[in-house]
Amino acid sequence: MSDDTTLAAFDKAFELVTHVAELMQEALAQRGLTTPKAQVIFALHHEGPQVQRKLSEALRCTPRHVTALIDNLSEAGFVARGPHPTDRRATLVTLTQQGVEAAERMVREREKSAEELLGEVPEDQLKAFIAVADRFIGGQSDE
Amino acid sequence: MSDDTTLAAFDKAFELVTHVAELMQEALAQRGLTTPKAQVIFALHHEGPQVQRKLSEALRCTPRHVTALIDNLSEAGFVARGPHPTDRRATLVTLTQQGVEAAERMVREREKSAEELLGEVPEDQLKAFIAVADRFIGGQSDE
DNA sequence: AGAACATCGTGAAGTCACTACACAATGTAT
DNA sequence: ATACATTGTGTAGTGACTTCACGATGTTCT
């Protein structure tokens, strides 16, 4: 059947992964960020201030590492620690003004990049892309 | 309003990247490998025995790191160091039997996974996927 | 109330992937 | 023969991330 195309599409997905991962890291590095740090900023941006424990779940890393991440981000001025209103063990992490601006800038750049890269692509192609991507994301057994 | 679809496709690409990267790492970890180690094995598999310097270019990492990688892979039995026929400074890295088997197994699994995941997808959708992926990748692919 | 236990964040220490620098051995050019 | 380039590796360091132990606080149970 279309085995060749199937394989080509499969390989292309890996190529895409490599390439996009690289692009993303470069873009973030330019702003002094790494992927997990950006994840923190995004999490705070659209979930609001959060406790570190919650962030560690969102990033799927240890609470200890979140401490380090927040140390780093707060030193760089993106976030700030504050007291939790009811639980005095917890600290509430909030985006600073600079953090909010960074988040918004990244959102705008996402839109700009999407338009630049895919603006001319016909809609049905995009939908096919999404459909195939969902195949990857959907069914899978790691065994 | 293909803008929405454009953004959706863009975001989907990132989702795909995250997901596939994870899948790949899990699959490799099961065999005691990491991404760069697997790259070494593949490079040797379809380029034949190579000098470390060459591998460092293929992996775009420092020669020093290749040394560490090969130390590791050779300890695990996947590759072996041998003398270079003409240049006595260089060592020639070769796949062991176990290394060859690992490479072949991974190739087979790639085919199996491709079939499982994308086997039922119509060819024109796959082609659209590839076309869109190429938009991301742009004008350049190394290798 | 007090004892027992769970939870939040962090210090200390370690692993792992990776880098920069220095260097000995070898190859190449003049 | 001298000078320089190149191959691989030791030493040392960074950065992301983990496990373990602990003090401070919150919760529950009698």
Side-chain angles (χ1 to χ4, degrees):
Chain A
M1 303 225 328
S2 62
D3 262 4
D4 285 348
T5 315
T6 307
L7 264 183
F10 189 79
D11 289 345
K12 191 58 82 176
F14 281 84
E15 206 182 329
L16 181 68
V17 166
T18 308
H19 190 77
V20 170
E22 242 167 54
L23 284 188
M24 191 164 59
Q25 288 191 346
E26 271 172 31
L28 292 176
Q30 264 180 335
R31 322 217 166 292
L33 293 175
T34 62
T35 309
K37 287 183 203 166
Q39 278 179 289
V40 169
I41 292 181
F42 276 125
L44 295 175
H45 186 58
H46 77 63
E47 300 270 331
Q50 277 179 65
V51 160
Q52 293 185 200
R53 168 76 187 174
K54 193 101 179 289
L55 288 172
S56 85
E57 283 162 16
L59 304 205
R60 288 187 305 173
C61 70
T62 57
R64 184 58 186 89
H65 184 46
V66 173
T67 298
L69 246 28
I70 300 300
D71 283 352
N72 204 310
L73 280 170
S74 108
E75 200 175 326
F78 290 106
V79 307
R81 275 187 249 245
H84 190 284
T86 71
D87 190 337
R88 286 195 314 190
R89 294 167 304 179
T91 64
L92 208 54
V93 185
T94 348
L95 282 181
T96 60
Q97 185 56 33
Q98 179 188 339
V100 173
E101 278 162 19
E104 281 168 358
R105 196 183 325 126
M106 291 195 285
V107 169
R108 279 196 306 273
E109 292 202 354
R110 154 179 164 270
E111 283 162 11
K112 192 175 138 230
S113 298
E115 185 56 34
E116 272 178 22
L117 282 167
L118 306 180
E120 295 162 16
V121 179
E123 181 156 2
D124 57 333
Q125 264 195 27
L126 294 176
K127 285 191 170 154
F129 175 82
I130 293 174
V132 174
D134 276 329
R135 281 308 188 105
F136 275 96
I137 296 168
Q140 172 61 16
S141 65
D142 50 338
E143 223 34 60
Chain B
M1 292 316 205
S2 78
D3 262 7
D4 285 348
T5 315
T6 306
L7 264 182
F10 189 79
D11 289 344
K12 191 58 80 176
F14 280 84
E15 207 182 327
L16 180 67
V17 165
T18 308
H19 190 75
V20 170
E22 242 167 55
L23 283 188
M24 192 165 57
Q25 289 191 346
E26 271 172 32
L28 292 176
Q30 268 179 334
R31 322 217 167 291
L33 292 175
T34 62
T35 309
K37 286 183 203 166
Q39 277 178 288
V40 169
I41 291 180
F42 276 125
L44 295 174
H45 186 58
H46 76 65
E47 300 271 331
Q50 277 178 64
V51 160
Q52 293 186 198
R53 169 76 186 175
K54 194 101 180 292
L55 289 172
S56 85
E57 283 161 17
L59 303 205
R60 287 185 309 173
C61 70
T62 57
R64 184 59 185 88
H65 185 45
V66 173
T67 299
L69 246 27
I70 301 300
D71 283 351
N72 203 310
L73 281 170
S74 110
E75 199 175 326
F78 290 105
V79 307
R81 274 186 251 247
H84 189 285
T86 71
D87 189 338
R88 287 194 312 190
R89 295 167 302 180
T91 64
L92 208 55
V93 184
T94 349
L95 281 181
T96 59
Q97 185 56 32
Q98 179 188 340
V100 172
E101 277 162 20
E104 282 168 357
R105 194 181 327 125
M106 291 196 284
V107 168
R108 279 197 306 274
E109 293 203 352
R110 155 179 164 270
E111 282 160 12
K112 192 176 140 230
S113 298
E115 185 57 33
E116 273 178 21
L117 284 167
L118 306 179
E120 294 163 16
V121 179
E123 182 155 3
D124 56 335
Q125 265 196 25
L126 293 175
K127 285 191 168 151
F129 175 82
I130 293 175
V132 175
D134 276 329
R135 281 307 189 109
F136 275 96
I137 295 166
Q140 243 286 1
S141 76
D142 49 344
E143 232 233 354

